[in-house]
């Protein structure tokens, strides 16, 4: 949704400005990926970032499991707790449910993806004992990647044993966040090396080298060098949130892949 009044982009503390026009027309990711799943057979399908709290955990878990089945297990789910006050108001969900509510939502979805009969009793959500399907292709559910814009969120993702998805602005911040995430994962008994990390790049790959650029931006040669660095710090997926027509980026992405 696109509010018609200025909003704090990214939530409290973000720059206050008019919401981008693109916010007004956003296709539902699950239905869109079901269409893509039917027309492809190999590519990984993913969301980034799906606001979990606007749906009950049982409904969202079943929708994701259905998509996972349709795609034969190719689904990676970027998931978050949301940040825009107007969206919470429209969904009838209190913003106070963020944090602990988001954590419980993930635990409840994992219960739905587990063995039948399913039951769950929490502070925010209750699921009476029942058989609930379909189950995802991968035992325990599709791979989850929690969006994190703060230290607390990175620690939560590590504690839950889910992956991490981050918007990259500079390498130092990314490295610090990943270290926080891995430390929390280890403390909770998870193996950090098994938890995927994904970076979102806000911008385009360019046909020509750039003298001034951010991480993972510039020409294919410049981006390729950055991808080597990303791989060394454990990044598994990178995707570009292009400001231009995404189709215009395909030849450059193909060049990058072949290089």
């Amino acid at each position: 949704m696109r509010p018609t009044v200025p909003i704090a982009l990214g939530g409290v503390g973000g720059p206050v400005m008019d919401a981008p026009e693109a916010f007004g027309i956003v296709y539902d990711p699950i239905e869109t990926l079901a269409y893509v799943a039917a027309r492809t057979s190999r590519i990984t399908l993913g969301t980034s970032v799906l606001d979990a709290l606007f749906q009950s955990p049982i409904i969202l878990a079943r929708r994701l499991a259905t998509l996972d089945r349709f795609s034969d297990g190719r689904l990676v789910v970027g998931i978050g707790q949301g940040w825009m006050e107007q969206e919470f108001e429209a969904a009838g969900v209190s913003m106070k449910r963020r944090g602990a509510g988001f954590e419980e939502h993930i635990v409840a979805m994992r219960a739905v993806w587990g063995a039948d009969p399913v039951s769950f009793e929490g502070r925010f959500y209750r699921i009476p004992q029942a058989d609930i399907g379909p189950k995802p292709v991968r035992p325990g559910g599709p791979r989850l990647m929690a969006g994190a814009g703060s230290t607390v969120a990175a620690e939560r993702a590590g504690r839950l044993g889910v992956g991490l998805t981050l918007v990259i602005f500079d390498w130092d911040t990314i490295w610090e966040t990943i270290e926080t995430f891995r430390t929390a994962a280890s403390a909770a008994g998870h193996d950090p090396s098994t938890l995927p990390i994904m970076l979102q790049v806000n911008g385009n790959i360019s046909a020509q080298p750039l003298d001034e650029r951010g991480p993972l931006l510039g020409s294919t040669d410049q981006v390729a060098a950055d991808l080597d660095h990303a791989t060394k710090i454990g990044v598994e997926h990178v995707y570009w949130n292009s400001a231009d027509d995404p189709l215009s980026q395909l030849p450059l992405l193909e060049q990058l892949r072949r290089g």
Side-chain angles (χ1 to χ4, degrees):
M1 61 180 287
R2 179 179 184 268
T4 57
V5 298
I7 62 172
L9 288 178
V12 177
V16 177
M17 61 183 66
D18 291 337
E21 291 188 9
F23 279 20
I25 303 177
V26 179
Y27 285 76
D28 185 277
I30 296 178
E31 278 81 350
T32 300
L33 289 176
Y35 171 81
V36 175
R39 297 180 63 87
T40 60
S41 59
R42 294 183 299 160
I43 64 171
T44 299
L45 308 177
T47 67
S48 186
V49 169
L50 186 66
D51 293 326
L53 295 179
F54 302 152
Q55 300 182 55
S56 76
I58 186 172
I59 297 299
L60 184 55
R62 290 187 67 250
R63 295 182 72 204
L64 291 172
T66 299
L67 174 56
D68 195 52
R69 283 285 175 183
F70 285 165
S71 65
D72 196 25
R74 289 182 283 141
L75 180 62
V76 176
V77 184
I79 194 168
Q81 59 185 357
W83 57 268
M84 189 191 298
E85 182 179 357
Q86 291 86 345
E87 287 186 316
F88 280 86
E89 183 177 355
V93 177
S94 171
M95 290 193 75
K96 294 180 180 179
R97 186 166 288 194
R98 295 187 303 167
F102 175 61
E103 183 166 342
E104 187 175 296
H105 193 290
I106 290 178
V107 176
M109 285 204 300
R110 283 174 163 170
V112 173
W113 292 330
D116 289 325
V118 173
S119 65
F120 182 81
E121 185 79 25
R123 174 185 171 191
F124 302 98
Y125 302 106
R126 297 178 61 190
I127 303 174
Q129 184 169 299
D131 294 344
I132 304 174
K135 303 299 183 184
V137 173
R138 179 175 174 269
R143 287 182 294 173
L144 295 178
M145 317 276 285
S150 67
T151 299
V152 171
E155 290 174 341
R156 181 186 304 117
R159 183 172 65 252
L160 288 169
V162 300
L164 188 68
T165 178
L166 305 167
V167 179
I168 184 168
F169 297 104
D170 64 85
W171 288 113
D172 288 343
T173 301
I174 288 297
W175 175 246
E176 291 172 4
T177 304
I178 290 174
E179 283 296 287
T180 296
F181 165 70
R182 288 173 172 163
T183 298
S186 294
H190 306 294
D191 180 358
S193 67
T194 66
L195 304 179
I197 297 170
M198 177 167 62
L199 298 182
Q200 172 184 322
V201 185
N202 290 332
N204 305 313
I205 300 173
S206 60
Q208 301 297 326
L210 300 180
D211 293 331
E212 296 184 8
R213 65 187 184 92
L216 294 159
L217 295 173
S219 68
T220 54
D221 287 342
Q222 289 174 316
V223 171
D226 283 353
L227 285 174
D228 286 341
H229 179 64
T231 300
K232 290 176 182 177
I233 63 174
V235 174
E236 182 174 315
H237 295 280
V238 175
Y239 78 96
W240 284 263
N241 180 25
S242 175
D244 298 333
D245 178 3
L247 293 178
S248 69
Q249 289 284 289
L250 290 182
L252 292 170
L253 288 170
E254 177 65 13
Q255 182 180 337
L256 180 64
R257 186 182 71 86
R258 291 183 175 179

